[in-house]
Amino acid sequence: MMELEGSRKPWRVLEFYSGIGGMRYSLLKSAVKATVVEAFDINDVANDVYQHNFGHRPFQGNIQTLNATDLDRYNADAWLLSPPCQPYTRQGLQKGSCDARASSFIKILELIPQLLQPPSYLFVENVVGFETSDTHEILVKILEKNNFVTQEFILSPLQFGLPYSRPRYYCLAKRKPLSFEVPEFNNQLLRTPGPLLGQTESAMEKERLQSAEYWDELLQACQPVEHFLVFKTFGKGEDSSTYSFHANDSAKSDRSDEENNVYFVPSSLVERWGSAMDIVYPHSKRCCCFTKSYYRYVKGTGSLLATVQVKL
């Protein structure tokens, strides 16, 4: 997303389904001049974390109670939306818009035609599978009827050199007369980041996406996991490793060994379920998607970091 054309004023941004602030952090990292004027999330714990991270507590309540007048008051230039993914996940029931968890997102979309000051930009993120849902059809139809042009992507962090296997759906939307740098990609679902840089997506590249060699090359080009560790990794003895902090050093460096012990996986669990765990090391160049069942289940809920070599 690019800064508002011809304007030096910071964007006024609304962040829906703000969670712990991933979208806001990405906005900060993008270096776009922007101010999040309000965030919205119903989860109390997520809002606690968001407040800790940014000093701003999101609006906590059912966003289905919001109306067009409420949203117009913010005079927002851009909306960031990461609605619930459960209606579209492969392991879910895939009810789409019939799932109650999809209703708030649809309600927000239906407010767009009623707005006196609609946003100029929308950014929507969700799981792979959203792009084939009826909720996606609703999104595209409403945006089209309200003079938005869109470009859609399914991209993985691996394609950006990040050691994280997590393909996701993204929709970029701009309200006319704004346009994308390469309009030929409008209304297309793209699977490489090249078009974001003004490059073409050739038939050969699309074919390469299906090959194991393509993803192996990406993995080799990724930075190792240790470059992204925020906490010091734990362990005692010569085989353990310690890494410097990347953020909030002073807040985390005074943890005692006793406090750190809560992060260790009991050896009894490793012995019993280790073959099912996705164990990665600081030098690894990939890790897997984390789910809300992380630490409750050992398989398919996210990677476990080992600071010493283990033999299963």
Side-chain angles (χ1 to χ4, degrees):
M1 298 174 71
M2 300 176 62
E3 190 173 352
L4 285 172
E5 286 83 344
S7 173
R8 294 186 179 180
K9 294 182 179 179
W11 278 3
R12 294 176 59 83
V13 176
L14 293 182
E15 183 183 11
F16 296 93
Y17 313 100
S18 52
I20 63 174
M23 283 282 199
R24 182 163 181 170
Y25 187 74
S26 298
L27 184 63
L28 290 171
K29 293 290 285 185
S30 73
V32 171
K33 289 174 58 178
T35 300
V36 176
V37 293
E38 189 55 279
F40 304 85
D41 203 286
I42 200 170
N43 188 288
D44 187 57
V45 175
N47 289 341
D48 287 343
V49 178
Y50 190 103
Q51 184 175 12
H52 172 79
N53 287 340
F54 302 104
H56 171 190
R57 189 169 189 84
F59 171 89
Q60 186 164 332
N62 189 341
I63 59 177
Q64 288 182 252
T65 63
L66 296 172
N67 56 40
T69 302
D70 295 327
L71 297 181
D72 272 328
R73 290 194 187 102
Y74 294 109
N75 190 24
D77 301 299
W79 289 4
L80 307 178
L81 303 106
S82 185
C85 63
Q86 293 89 340
Y88 321 106
T89 58
R90 287 176 296 177
Q91 296 179 342
L93 299 177
Q94 298 183 356
K95 290 184 176 181
S97 63
C98 294
D99 192 308
R101 291 167 291 193
S103 57
S104 62
F105 178 56
I106 294 172
K107 170 66 183 301
I108 292 171
L109 295 175
E110 291 175 342
L111 290 177
I112 292 177
Q114 305 173 35
L115 295 173
L116 298 177
Q117 301 181 78
S120 297
Y121 298 84
L122 270 81
F123 180 82
V124 180
E125 176 269 345
N126 216 285
V127 294
V128 174
F130 177 86
E131 77 281 3
T132 59
S133 69
D134 59 344
T135 306
H136 173 262
E137 292 180 16
I138 294 170
L139 167 67
V140 171
K141 287 180 181 178
I142 289 178
L143 292 178
E144 184 178 344
K145 288 181 179 180
N146 289 274
N147 298 314
F148 283 87
V149 291
T150 62
Q151 291 187 358
E152 299 174 278
F153 297 82
I154 290 179
L155 299 172
S156 170
L158 297 176
Q159 293 168 292
F160 297 88
L162 305 178
Y164 190 32
S165 302
R166 196 189 193 199
R168 304 289 283 185
Y169 164 86
Y170 302 95
C171 175
L172 309 178
K174 294 184 178 184
R175 186 161 55 88
K176 298 175 183 177
L178 298 176
S179 62
F180 289 97
E181 185 176 351
V182 186
E184 67 184 87
F185 298 128
N186 290 358
N187 308 314
Q188 292 189 40
L189 181 64
L190 306 163
R191 296 178 182 270
T192 61
L196 292 171
L197 306 173
Q199 303 168 1
T200 60
E201 185 178 59
S202 66
M204 183 179 297
E205 286 178 311
K206 293 179 182 178
E207 187 173 326
R208 285 191 69 222
L209 285 168
Q210 309 303 319
S211 69
E213 290 79 8
Y214 172 77
W215 296 100
D216 286 341
E217 290 174 10
L218 290 177
L219 283 173
Q220 293 304 314
C222 281
Q223 301 176 61
V225 170
E226 62 187 336
H227 287 184
F228 301 91
L229 297 177
V230 175
F231 286 92
K232 184 183 294 182
T233 57
F234 313 118
K236 296 181 179 180
E238 295 180 357
D239 292 332
S240 65
S241 302
T242 301
Y243 298 88
S244 56
F245 300 113
H246 291 187
N248 296 332
D249 291 5
S250 60
K252 296 172 183 174
S253 59
D254 59 353
R255 289 177 178 270
S256 67
D257 288 341
E258 289 75 17
E259 290 175 308
N260 290 334
N261 283 340
V262 300
Y263 299 105
F264 284 108
V265 179
S267 57
S268 59
L269 283 182
V270 177
E271 291 171 2
R272 184 176 181 183
W273 300 107
S275 60
M277 295 175 176
D278 182 62
I279 297 175
V280 300
Y281 300 91
H283 62 266
S284 298
K285 292 192 173 183
R286 62 131 200 103
C287 61
C288 289
C289 179
F290 293 85
T291 75
K292 68 177 182 179
S293 295
Y294 188 68
Y295 86 84
R296 294 188 180 92
Y297 296 94
V298 299
K299 185 177 181 180
T301 61
S303 301
L304 299 175
L305 176 68
T307 57
V308 294
Q309 194 76 28
V310 295
K311 296 180 180 179
L312 301 177

